[in-house]
Amino acid sequence: MSIENQELRKAGLKVTLPRVKILQLLEQAESDNQHFSAEDVYRALMESGEDVGLATVYRVLTQFEAAGLVTRHNFETGHSVFELEKGDHHDHIVCMETGEVIEFFDEVIESRQRQLVAERGFELVDHSLVLYVKPKKA
């Protein structure tokens, strides 16, 4: 049984060809450090000759999100992007000109956030840090 099939079954989802294909695309995107929108997934499926409709892509991504397989990010670039849920915390840098999303983790930033929260009498439960950038002009 393929890894994708096992992941789908573990998440309580029936193994279907569209789900397997979309999961494979997201795994490939992950290895290339990319975040895909539903439209990106649809376009990649069409380019590879798969006959999966855009509505199916949206439905499957929503099911994946509900099952905890993917995380949806709503960056200020105007559309949601998805990444596989890896269970590790990281933050994002988003280029406002290209839409490129870069993941990063910085222990100094993480430590400072915990310190700021503790100084105010709270315990940090979760957070999301997104840095919006543009290329430097030469």
Side-chain angles (χ1 to χ4, degrees):
M1 180 182 324
S2 76
I3 292 171
E4 291 85 7
N5 290 5
Q6 291 173 15
E7 289 179 45
L8 289 170
R9 287 204 172 113
K10 193 168 89 175
L13 295 171
K14 184 177 172 187
V15 176
T16 64
L17 189 58
R19 287 181 180 147
V20 169
K21 294 294 184 185
I22 291 170
L23 190 54
Q24 288 172 341
L25 273 175
L26 292 172
E27 288 170 344
Q28 181 59 47
E30 186 73 27
S31 68
D32 294 340
N33 269 338
Q34 294 180 312
H35 293 65
F36 273 7
S37 68
E39 292 81 8
D40 294 331
V41 171
Y42 174 71
R43 204 169 11 261
L45 288 169
M46 296 307 292
E47 289 171 2
S48 67
E50 298 298 330
D51 186 24
V52 177
L54 184 57
T56 299
V57 171
Y58 275 106
R59 185 173 55 255
V60 168
L61 289 172
T62 300
Q63 291 166 346
F64 284 3
E65 182 183 17
L69 290 174
V70 300
T71 300
R72 177 192 309 250
H73 298 285
N74 296 303
F75 299 129
E76 292 181 20
T77 54
H79 60 273
S80 298
V81 292
F82 299 84
E83 68 176 318
L84 290 177
E85 177 55 55
K86 299 174 288 210
D88 65 335
H89 171 75
H90 59 270
D91 296 304
H92 296 92
I93 297 171
V94 178
C95 179
M96 295 302 290
E97 289 185 14
T98 65
E100 178 184 13
V101 178
I102 302 162
E103 296 178 0
F104 74 95
F105 177 83
D106 186 297
E107 185 52 51
V108 174
I109 293 172
E110 298 300 319
S111 176
R112 183 66 180 130
Q113 291 175 115
R114 287 189 299 273
Q115 180 185 7
L116 287 167
V117 168
E119 288 171 358
R120 287 158 177 82
F122 295 98
E123 176 183 345
L124 185 62
V125 176
D126 194 14
H127 79 276
S128 174
L129 175 64
V130 181
L131 304 175
Y132 294 96
V133 302
K134 63 181 181 180
K136 284 185 178 180
K137 302 296 181 205

